[in-house]
Amino acid sequence: MIEAFLDYALGPHGRAIGNFYFENQMILNAIVVIGALSSMVLKRRVTSKTCE
């Protein structure tokens, strides 16, 4: 479904991006999750230091 949307909406460039994503989605999703978790931890540390 997503692949068909990318093909239609973005044309050949979308197809290249989609192929890259589908081939490397485990690594890319892990990077996003690690980034989100580290951002949450850093925000929590900053707020806890300012409250003390």
Side-chain angles (χ1 to χ4, degrees):
M1 177 76 177
I2 294 173
E3 200 168 354
F5 175 74
L6 286 175
D7 286 345
Y8 174 74
L10 301 175
H13 299 294
R15 201 170 303 124
I17 293 168
N19 288 338
F20 177 78
Y21 173 75
F22 287 119
E23 290 173 4
N24 301 302
Q25 67 184 355
M26 184 71 91
I27 295 168
L28 295 172
N29 289 342
I31 291 170
V32 170
V33 169
I34 290 169
L37 290 174
S38 63
S39 174
M40 290 171 52
V41 168
L42 289 174
K43 284 182 183 178
R44 187 167 291 183
R45 284 187 181 178
V46 168
T47 57
S48 67
K49 286 182 179 180
T50 58
C51 292
E52 292 177 357

